Amino acid sequence: MEGNYRCFFRAFDFIIISAIVYKMNLNILIDNLPKTSFITIRKFKSLNINTYFDLLNYFPFRYENYSLISPINKLQPGETTTVIGTICDVKYQVTQTGLRIQVFKLEDGTGEVELGFYNQPYILRLIKKDMTLSVSGTVEKYGKKLVIKPKEYEIGGKKIHTGRIVPIYSEKRGLSSKTIREKIFYVLQNVMVRQAHHDTFVTLSLTKGDEILPNEIISFNNLIDEQKAYQQIHFPDSKEAAQKAKDRLAFDELFMIQLSSYLVKNEWKKEKVGYKFTIGNRHANSLQQFINNLPFKLTYAQKRVWNEIRSDLLKTVPMNRFLQGEVGSGKTVVAALACYLAYLNGFQSLLMAPTEILAQQHFKTITDLFKIPRLAEFTLSEIEGLARDDRGGNLKIALITGSQKKFNFQSPSSKPVFNHQQLFSNFDIVIGTHSLISKKFKMDKVGLVIVDEQHRFGVSQRAALKEKGFNPHLLTMTATPIPRTVALTLYGELDISVIDEMPVGRLPVKTYFVNKAKRSSCYQWIKSQISNFQSQIFIVCPLIEESEIETMKSLKAAKKEFINLKNIFSDFKLGLLHGKMKAKEKEEIMTAFKNKHLDILVTTPVVEVGVDIPNATIMLIEGSERFGLAQLHQLRGRVGRSDKQSYCFLFSEKEDLGILKKLDFFTKTNDGNKLAEEDLKIRGPGDIYGIKQHGYLGLKIASLSDYKLIEKTKKAVEYFISHYKVENYPILLERIDKERSGKIAKD
Ligand code: ADP
Ligand code: MG
């Protein structure tokens, strides 16, 4: 039987090879996958898998070893094995408890064994008497009888899902691991050049037969060839082979990231700013005055970082700096200082936030820092035709969001002029979301662009600015804790500044895990805090689906929880905030909370980043087990933003040991970097909230905790740059481009 099957496939291969050979290209769109429904293709696309190459880069997260093939008379209870034979009997049973069992008898010449499928009646339509079946599963003993509990099976004999080490893929968007495996197998089998008609994979035309790296680098670093690596990562011959494949692909991944950073940095160094900043005594005095007038003293870390930024701003090479600092460490003030220096030089600053709420918050914070009263707010239509305000030495700040366009000046009486087109020229600081750099807005003298939280400023966005005739300084800010080595690897093109000190007087947030039994006394305690101390509380609803976009399911859960909480806290004022609300509604709720018209703000997890309500001192997180540590830390960072003692309570629906351990670690750790590292260990790289979700790190296979590999690839990149010409490696460049464009944040 096995022999026949091989013959059949060899003949089949031959046909495919002749058909495919001329377009052996992994850029083939997945729409071309044979025997694949439109729905499946759509699901792949929703995972951003568009080409065969994308598919090959969807890596398994583990394997099942079904490579042991046993004759039936040698089966041992407890072992995991594969049996290949012919179906000789089919039975359908219903147990006394109503369980429906589909029982098949399989014989292979050495004996017979039963396979029992539970509650899968459809299987009777697939598997029929006299068919050849290969089945992998565990052998169990019932009395004297041996039964196989099938995990995978395939009709016809072993090929993809049985009788080998089988890859297990994470199942997303309703795609089963089996489907993914089948499609990847197809690509590996058919988009490969087979030198001879071996039945193992030979070469895979990833790069038209060429390697993407110079041979010298491959052999020096002991790497297997890339084509083999792609094959072995999915269908490894052994555990060791899978590891070697992973080593190679992880090397490539880190190599490309670092080379890309180098190329960007190199290009950047050749650039000149559109507008050069200077600082004389007068500006220095103004800056000092601004600092003296702040309601607090800058921390040493803030001062150090400001010095780094200031010296960048005075250079002709545009600044490209990454400012990292824990939530609440005070990045906004530093950003405001940079904007002020731009203003003193007569240039504009753009400040981009990832969400409208944050843009609104920045608008308020920054107008407060500059002590600009929010005298008037204009809509876009009102502003058209107003008389142009002469620069009376007053800094003017505008907030522009998608749904409402408001502007704000110190002296609205003078009726400034501008239409849509000229809008920007009248403001010194323009705050908004990414839409700020869209074509709609004409900018005048942008000298500085600041991007806050989560969005890496992409190559194309920079190009969009340059198109408008600017080449501004760039500052990217994030509260996502990223270990320094990692930051240096992934953002090698950036200079890095870290605010590693919290403003004085901040007390660490006291964090407690609250088990089910203590839940009501916790609610009770919260009520007394509101009554006695006017405390304000955030209650975060559980994360239903890990998704950047708030799904209807999450929203429903939040609304349900809101009703529930309203009953519990019936004497208090509650508000609900979620991502599907209009910007105006969001702002109203936030303002109400900020102005203490609400005691409790119930929110979904997607709206949390960066919100600053210093009076809120209690954070209650429902379903905390569903969050990663870094994300929990972000949420906890919403409180503890004043000198009052703050509290964070973790509720959990599940209380198993692993979860308790994780949450216990969290209650004891206040250091974002430590939590990020622990997250890496628990969940694997790329899984950290706010990182993968926003395409920030997005590593597919390399581990960020593998410092050795990071070091090794760094040396390899240095060697490559000094000994080779990048232009001679077009495929490498093409891949880097693809990776890079994937990382650019979408508006
Ligand atoms: P983040 O780094 O998370 O963006 P913010 O810039 O929003 O932090 O600052 C958090 C809060 O701390 C704000 O209310 C801000 O006014 C305040 N703050 C900033 N710097 C200091 C400081 N040096 N001393 C005291 N409070 C400060
Ligand atoms: Mg912030």
Side-chain angles (χ1 to χ4, degrees):
M1 196 46 89
E2 175 79 355
N4 280 345
Y5 148 77
R6 281 217 176 123
C7 278
F8 170 74
F9 270 92
R10 279 190 192 168
F12 188 59
D13 283 349
F14 193 72
I15 300 162
I16 289 176
I17 287 165
S18 44
I20 300 248
V21 120
Y22 70 94
K23 55 164 196 176
M24 215 89 54
N25 183 349
L26 285 161
N27 292 328
I28 299 174
L29 296 176
I30 55 157
D31 306 64
N32 294 302
L33 280 171
K35 292 193 213 149
T36 309
S37 74
F38 169 68
I39 296 167
T40 301
I41 287 175
R42 206 170 53 193
K43 286 176 183 167
F44 275 119
K45 286 184 177 171
S46 77
L47 288 173
N48 216 1
I49 295 173
N50 296 307
T51 65
Y52 284 3
F53 189 59
D54 295 338
L55 198 53
L56 291 188
N57 283 291
Y58 195 82
F59 299 118
F61 67 96
R62 66 181 181 89
Y63 303 95
E64 281 289 352
N65 192 346
Y66 298 139
S67 56
L68 177 71
I69 299 176
S70 310
I72 290 172
N73 66 353
K74 293 271 157 57
L75 291 176
Q76 300 289 332
E79 74 181 349
T80 298
T81 185
T82 299
V83 172
I84 302 165
T86 309
I87 298 292
C88 58
D89 195 19
V90 181
K91 270 190 298 193
Y92 179 64
Q93 298 173 342
V94 182
T95 67
Q96 281 161 345
T97 53
L99 196 63
R100 292 174 301 170
I101 315 177
Q102 297 76 43
V103 185
F104 298 88
K105 207 175 257 177
L106 192 72
E107 62 92 10
D108 69 349
T110 73
E112 289 182 359
V113 67
E114 275 188 8
L115 319 174
F117 291 86
Y118 291 95
N119 279 336
Q120 298 176 45
Y122 65 89
I123 218 155
L124 295 168
R125 274 179 277 129
L126 299 175
I127 305 177
K128 302 232 159 89
K129 199 160 178 275
D130 295 329
M131 272 183 173
T132 300
L133 192 77
S134 174
V135 57
S136 300
T138 47
V139 182
E140 286 175 7
K141 198 169 180 179
Y142 290 104
K144 280 191 183 152
K145 198 167 63 178
L146 289 182
V147 175
I148 292 184
K149 214 172 150 194
K151 291 227 181 96
E152 293 280 358
Y153 65 89
E154 53 196 327
I155 294 157
K158 79 176 177 84
K159 190 183 171 204
I160 307 175
H161 309 291
T162 60
R164 60 159 73 237
I165 298 176
V166 171
I168 312 292
Y169 300 92
S170 91
E171 303 192 329
K172 287 186 186 154
R173 311 277 159 94
L175 280 167
S176 72
S177 179
K178 193 163 186 165
T179 303
I180 298 168
R181 188 187 302 139
E182 218 163 83
K183 304 306 166 193
I184 290 177
F185 187 84
Y186 169 81
V187 172
L188 286 166
Q189 276 264 317
N190 296 296
V191 191
M192 266 192 305
V193 188
R194 291 194 212 180
Q195 286 163 338
H197 297 294
H198 294 282
D199 48 29
T200 51
F201 312 104
V202 183
T203 45
L204 171 60
S205 174
L206 287 168
T207 56
K208 303 190 186 72
D210 297 329
E211 261 291 352
I212 59 161
L213 300 177
N215 283 331
E216 196 186 1
I217 288 179
I218 292 171
S219 56
F220 181 81
N221 290 286
N222 248 329
L223 303 172
I224 62 167
D225 90 57
E226 197 196 29
Q227 301 166 351
K228 191 170 173 195
Y230 270 104
Q231 182 255 307
Q232 291 290 321
I233 196 79
H234 292 290
F235 295 96
D237 295 335
S238 65
K239 251 183 149 167
E240 296 71 35
Q243 185 57 47
K244 282 210 143 300
K246 189 171 177 238
D247 290 347
R248 170 66 210 255
L249 297 172
F251 185 96
D252 284 11
E253 184 168 40
L254 290 174
F255 184 94
M256 281 189 266
I257 290 171
Q258 299 190 63
L259 179 60
S260 164
S261 292
Y262 167 84
L263 295 174
V264 171
K265 191 164 195 164
N266 218 28
E267 281 304 302
W268 194 277
K269 272 194 218 145
K270 292 183 207 150
E271 300 201 1
K272 284 230 156 67
V273 284
Y275 304 111
K276 190 171 167 357
F277 292 23
T278 57
I279 188 168
N281 279 343
R282 203 159 55 96
H283 293 349
N285 284 341
S286 302
L287 283 164
Q288 194 51 52
Q289 218 158 41
F290 177 82
I291 292 171
N292 295 344
N293 285 340
L294 287 171
F296 44 75
K297 240 179 107 205
L298 290 180
T299 60
Y300 287 107
Q302 282 171 318
K303 282 186 201 157
R304 186 189 64 237
V305 166
W306 165 235
N307 277 332
E308 289 165 356
I309 292 171
R310 191 178 60 180
S311 77
D312 278 2
L313 290 175
L314 299 174
K315 291 178 186 154
T316 50
V317 177
M319 168 170 79
N320 194 12
R321 192 167 278 279
F322 186 66
L323 170 55
Q324 203 193 330
E326 280 264 11
V327 280
S329 61
K331 296 182 289 294
T332 318
V333 189
V334 177
L337 276 164
C339 294
Y340 194 43
L341 182 56
Y343 161 75
L344 292 171
N345 278 276
F347 306 128
Q348 296 165 297
S349 303
L350 298 186
L351 175 56
M352 294 195 272
T355 64
E356 298 203 347
I357 288 187
L358 287 179
Q360 277 157 2
Q361 189 179 288
H362 277 310
F363 180 60
K364 293 203 172 82
T365 312
I366 292 186
T367 46
D368 285 346
L369 284 172
F370 285 104
K371 301 199 167 56
I372 297 178
R374 284 185 290 278
L375 288 177
E377 288 177 335
F378 295 89
T379 66
L380 201 58
S381 56
E382 282 169 326
I383 239 152
E384 283 181 61
L386 295 179
R388 184 176 177 125
D389 186 35
D390 62 337
R391 275 180 191 278
N394 292 321
L395 189 125
K396 290 182 289 301
I397 305 175
L399 169 69
I400 299 188
T401 60
S403 44
Q404 52 177 168
K405 291 164 176 76
K406 283 186 180 173
F407 307 90
N408 171 331
F409 328 50
Q410 179 124 40
S411 51
S413 55
S414 57
K415 291 239 162 186
V417 149
F418 31 79
N419 53 40
H420 237 114
Q421 298 296 312
Q422 297 168 321
L423 211 52
F424 279 87
S425 47
N426 292 277
F427 294 94
D428 305 297
I429 303 174
V430 182
I431 300 170
T433 59
H434 261 61
S435 61
L436 281 187
I437 54 166
S438 77
K439 293 234 155 52
K440 277 198 308 243
F441 298 111
K442 193 164 172 267
M443 282 174 271
D444 195 11
K445 293 182 98 182
V446 177
L448 171 67
V449 173
I450 299 173
V451 188
D452 188 28
E453 301 284 5
Q454 317 295 358
H455 282 265
R456 190 173 187 185
F457 199 75
V459 174
S460 74
Q461 282 143 336
R462 198 161 64 86
L465 280 178
K466 276 180 81 177
E467 234 171 70
K468 298 175 188 222
F470 310 109
N471 202 6
H473 293 290
L474 281 186
L475 180 65
T476 310
M477 305 197 291
T478 186
T480 309
I482 303 168
R484 195 167 174 81
T485 341
V486 172
L488 287 173
T489 310
L490 297 180
Y491 308 114
E493 79 270 27
L494 304 171
D495 296 308
I496 296 173
S497 287
V498 186
I499 302 185
D500 49 6
E501 181 191 354
M502 295 299 264
V504 283
R506 296 277 167 85
L507 300 164
V509 178
K510 287 190 176 163
T511 307
Y512 302 96
F513 174 76
V514 180
N515 65 27
K516 286 202 178 100
K518 296 225 178 94
R519 211 172 261 225
S520 63
S521 56
C522 180
Y523 285 138
Q524 223 37 57
W525 184 83
I526 291 175
K527 286 177 193 170
S528 71
Q529 291 287 308
I530 306 174
S531 305
N532 300 334
F533 307 106
Q534 289 79 49
S535 303
Q536 287 187 286
I537 291 102
F538 283 108
I539 298 184
V540 176
C541 297
L543 188 71
I544 303 293
E545 274 161 295
E546 238 183 271
S547 151
E548 187 169 1
I549 306 147
E550 194 168 275
T551 59
M552 286 316 287
K553 212 167 150 191
S554 301
L555 184 57
K556 251 176 144 170
K559 283 185 171 161
K560 208 171 134 201
E561 183 60 22
F562 184 56
I563 292 168
N564 180 32
L565 288 165
K566 263 178 145 169
N567 286 328
I568 295 172
F569 294 98
S570 52
D571 295 339
F572 302 97
K573 281 169 282 170
L574 284 79
L576 175 67
L577 182 70
H578 60 76
K580 293 263 186 320
M581 285 162 83
K582 295 209 175 73
K584 196 164 160 15
E585 295 170 330
K586 283 186 202 166
E587 197 199 353
E588 279 165 13
I589 290 278
M590 287 304 289
T591 310
F593 193 52
K594 202 159 193 164
N595 296 340
K596 305 184 189 172
H597 299 316
L598 294 173
D599 304 306
I600 300 176
L601 186 66
V602 181
T603 104
T604 56
V606 290
V607 286
E608 96 288 352
V609 199
V611 171
D612 186 30
I613 313 271
N615 191 57
T617 51
I618 299 173
M619 165 61 68
L620 192 159
I621 305 169
E622 279 279 0
S624 56
E625 80 279 5
R626 293 167 180 251
F627 296 91
L629 292 173
Q631 191 183 11
L632 286 175
H633 188 59
Q634 279 278 356
L635 290 170
R636 179 168 59 186
R638 297 306 113 223
V639 296
R641 298 171 80 88
S642 68
D643 51 8
K644 290 193 204 115
Q645 178 62 55
S646 289
Y647 303 87
C648 174
F649 298 111
L650 307 172
F651 284 17
S652 166
E653 277 134 48
K654 285 198 208 126
E655 299 188 355
D656 70 50
L657 204 62
I659 288 165
L660 291 178
K661 240 176 98 181
K662 173 177 116 175
L663 296 179
D664 185 55
F665 181 81
F666 181 73
T667 60
K668 294 189 178 121
T669 314
N670 260 305
D671 178 334
N673 271 311
K674 279 210 186 104
L675 289 165
E677 262 159 34
E678 185 68 15
D679 238 355
L680 275 180
K681 275 193 230 149
I682 301 177
R683 314 198 336 156
D687 245 0
I688 304 177
Y689 171 79
I691 292 184
K692 182 164 145 201
Q693 280 196 345
H694 298 89
Y696 228 69
L697 302 186
L699 284 189
K700 291 204 185 83
I701 192 158
S703 164
L704 291 175
S705 43
D706 191 349
Y707 295 149
K708 266 195 200 139
L709 187 63
I710 292 178
E711 209 34 53
K712 203 165 152 181
T713 44
K714 187 170 163 232
K715 289 205 174 104
V717 168
E718 281 160 10
Y719 187 83
F720 178 77
I721 290 160
S722 53
H723 291 78
Y724 294 87
K725 279 206 167 72
V726 189
E727 310 82 271
N728 295 339
Y729 292 82
I731 297 153
L732 191 60
L733 286 174
E734 196 182 304
R735 288 240 203 120
I736 286 175
D737 265 359
K738 190 172 146 70
E739 265 306 302
R740 241 195 234 164
S741 57
K743 287 229 171 72
I744 293 168
K746 291 192 185 82
D747 289 349

